[in-house]
Amino acid sequence: MTIYNFCAGPAMLPTAVMRKAQQEFCDYQGLGVSVMELSHRSPEYMAVAEKAEQDLRELMAIPDNYAVLFLHGGARGQFSAIPLNLLGQGKALYLESGQWSVAAATEAEKYGDIERVDLRCESRTLDLSRIPADTSEYAYVHYCPNETVDGVAMFDVPEVAAPLVADLSSCILGRDLDVSQFALLYAGAQKNIGPAGLTLVIVRRDLLGNADSRCPAILDYQLAANHDSMYNTPPTFAWYLAGEVFQWLKHQGGVAAMAEVNRRKADKLYGFIDASDFYRNAVAPSHRSEMNVTFQLHDAQLDKRFLAEAEAAGLKALKGHRMVGGMRASIYNAMPEAGVDALVQFMDHFARTYG
Ligand SMILES: *Cc1c(COP(=O)(O)O)cnc(C)c1O
């Protein structure tokens, strides 16, 4: 039986990447050691690291005036690093669209003057008109384009004068975006890039060098950039695997090709849910995530049975986040369209049995 893993994170990785990593696990390119046993400063590892960065730059068309950092600490680490590096004596604005953007604001408040604007409306949509017209007074504006827990997305990049910071943890490389519209982009790797333990930061170079004097060295962007992300030992194996995923993405035709498949997968699933009176999704269609599809059963008493039967059918980790309940199917780049087809088929069968 084919297993499809819908976990929000750590999420499934492309099978081809896992097979290749398995093949070279104990003996990387005839060196007789694993890539994870190599010094991060060895020429062999440096080549891995540099290729990963070059491939990511190509995939996202990252301009030269941006540094790409491969760090530790997850996206939550960046919730602290961002104010410590960018806030200075100023204040920042946090747009709240769901659980993660709220968590980012709460962490940032430890370090300085943070203002929040809640964009969420009763009707499970976002009111973008609440974003202040003039943001020039802020050191930066932070937002989260894809709210992993809520299944809510903000597809239009907010038009703000202040430097724009975005948490791309669950949507990076899922569709094209214009890096030059942003001051800083960041993502924990474990959703759409690779294994947990690696965090990507893409930051405009003119913003480096302003870290607060109390900023821990390992969170200081300038230090990381000066040392090619090797100020301390980087998460070498996760970096290597991320590089393998980037190569795989290039073979798939790059981000534009992935975006097309992602759109199709999401449309299929939302289309089925909308056509059914057994399942529902309450998010406004214009704000529905393409990566994390949340849905509820008409009768929550059936949730346990749904999850147990899904598991038995090889469809794993469909339980919604404990904060919102219901179900969630995370369908990142690595989820093949056949996985979504299998899920829809199962959901249809379940609804016919218990509806
Ligand atoms: C998962 C997630 C985080 C937290 O990531 P960690 O790497 O566990 O710190 C933050 N933001 C978003 C949007 C996420 O999906």
Side-chain angles (χ1 to χ4, degrees):
M1 178 171 61
T2 311
I3 304 291
Y4 293 108
N5 176 12
F6 293 90
C7 187
M12 69 174 292
L13 289 169
T15 310
V17 169
M18 296 297 274
R19 293 241 164 82
K20 177 154 185 273
Q22 183 185 39
Q23 269 170 16
E24 47 193 38
F25 187 69
C26 293
D27 182 4
Y28 181 68
Q29 299 199 342
L31 293 173
V33 296
S34 171
V35 70
M36 75 169 91
E37 300 171 302
L38 288 175
S39 162
H40 51 300
R41 306 199 188 281
S42 64
E44 293 85 0
Y45 189 78
M46 294 288 275
V48 170
E50 275 161 30
K51 175 144 179 59
E53 177 175 338
Q54 282 319 314
D55 285 341
L56 181 68
R57 283 186 178 276
E58 209 177 297
L59 283 164
M60 294 181 71
I62 301 172
D64 287 342
N65 63 323
Y66 285 76
V68 177
L69 308 177
F70 292 78
L71 306 175
H72 296 270
R76 275 192 191 274
Q78 293 308 309
F79 291 177
S80 321
I82 288 159
L84 282 165
N85 279 274
L86 304 185
L87 193 53
Q89 296 307 307
K91 57 180 176 175
L93 181 68
Y94 278 69
L95 309 181
E96 296 180 331
S97 53
Q99 311 280 342
W100 284 117
S101 50
V102 169
T106 302
E107 180 67 15
E109 275 176 343
K110 292 180 186 170
Y111 304 103
D113 193 358
I114 302 299
E115 286 178 21
R116 304 161 169 244
V117 52
D118 194 345
L119 306 178
R120 293 169 293 178
C121 305
E122 286 293 335
S123 49
R124 296 282 283 156
T125 186
L126 300 175
D127 181 0
L128 304 186
S129 74
R130 293 179 189 170
I131 302 172
D134 183 9
T135 58
S136 51
E137 59 179 319
Y138 297 107
Y140 63 89
V141 174
H142 177 281
Y143 85 116
C144 179
N146 189 71
E147 286 283 2
T148 322
V149 170
D150 312 79
V152 169
M154 202 193 296
F155 293 109
D156 294 330
V157 177
E159 284 179 33
V160 293
L164 187 60
V165 174
D167 177 356
L168 297 187
S169 293
S170 53
C171 60
I172 190 167
L173 296 165
R175 57 151 68 191
D176 272 317
L177 99 190
D178 176 1
V179 173
S180 69
Q181 288 181 286
F182 300 86
L184 187 150
L185 297 165
Y186 67 103
Q190 68 274 18
K191 282 139 191 174
N192 216 5
I193 297 176
L198 172 71
T199 315
L200 271 181
V201 172
I202 300 164
V203 56
R204 227 173 52 212
R205 292 187 199 274
D206 61 280
L207 294 162
L208 300 178
N210 299 317
D212 186 279
S213 59
R214 294 163 305 171
C215 179
I218 56 157
L219 297 182
D220 184 327
Y221 297 146
Q222 178 77 73
L223 263 183
N226 289 350
H227 293 265
D228 296 325
S229 304
M230 295 189 182
Y231 177 69
N232 72 329
T233 313
T236 54
F237 192 72
W239 189 336
Y240 148 80
L241 261 188
E244 292 295 326
V245 171
F246 299 153
Q247 286 181 49
W248 176 81
L249 278 172
K250 283 171 67 180
H251 282 300
Q252 307 304 302
V255 176
M258 267 348 286
E260 218 171 282
V261 180
N262 288 335
R263 184 71 260 159
R264 223 168 36 230
K265 290 187 301 191
D267 281 349
K268 249 183 207 174
L269 198 42
Y270 285 118
F272 171 77
I273 292 165
D274 286 345
S276 144
D277 46 23
F278 190 85
Y279 304 99
R280 65 195 146 77
N281 169 291
V283 182
S286 57
H287 290 290
R288 283 175 171 177
S289 168
E290 293 172 344
M291 299 275 108
N292 311 97
V293 177
T294 53
F295 60 92
Q296 287 79 41
L297 274 56
H298 77 93
D299 176 3
Q301 305 232 322
L302 288 168
D303 282 6
K304 272 212 173 82
R305 180 167 297 199
F306 179 89
L307 288 167
E309 292 194 14
E311 180 84 31
L315 308 171
K316 293 184 100 68
L318 285 163
K319 192 174 186 344
H321 192 277
R322 60 191 184 280
M323 309 277 286
V324 296
M327 307 299 156
R328 172 176 54 176
S330 294
I331 50 174
Y332 304 118
N333 286 344
M335 176 61 68
E337 201 163 347
V340 173
D341 291 337
L343 175 59
V344 166
Q345 206 178 6
F346 168 78
M347 287 169 70
D348 188 37
H349 177 76
F350 189 87
R352 282 172 202 279
T353 311
Y354 298 102

